[in-house]
Amino acid sequence: MAIIVNLDVMMAKRKMNLTELAGQVDLTLANLSILKNNKARAIRFSTLEAICRALDCQPGDILEYVEEQGEGEWDSAGKHSSYRGKW
């Protein structure tokens, strides 16, 4: 996955555990754990906002883009470097 969730890092910086954060953002421990362990496929902006409010941080403190190995480059026509034919 190209988006890394650094929720555990911010929680450690704020000395907050998963149970405390779950209570503040009104999420189940299971759903928050899925997010923390980079297993989530999506996050609602309202959830992200609540997490940022609880941890007193910015979305960029929690979410990080990391280019996947072998992703390659995109050209000016919007074609990926691995493009070999018609879309």
Side-chain angles (χ1 to χ4, degrees), residues 8-81:
D8 53 346
V9 174
M10 285 308 301
M11 288 171 52
K13 286 181 179 180
R14 302 299 190 248
K15 295 178 173 51
M16 188 178 293
N17 66 37
L18 209 57
T19 304
E20 292 171 321
L21 184 59
Q24 288 189 29
V25 299
D26 197 30
L27 274 179
T28 65
L29 278 173
N31 285 337
L32 199 52
S33 181
I34 287 168
L35 182 61
K36 183 178 83 78
N37 293 313
N38 285 302
K39 302 293 182 191
R41 306 273 295 160
I43 183 171
R44 291 182 179 163
F45 281 142
S46 59
T47 301
L48 183 58
E49 179 182 354
I51 290 170
C52 288
R53 186 180 312 112
L55 294 174
D56 188 29
C57 67
Q58 295 294 313
D61 296 327
I62 298 170
L63 303 175
E64 176 184 4
Y65 171 75
V66 178
E67 188 169 326
E68 291 181 0
Q69 198 169 9
E71 261 191 10
E73 299 293 324
W74 294 88
D75 66 15
S76 61
K79 293 181 184 165
H80 193 268
S81 62

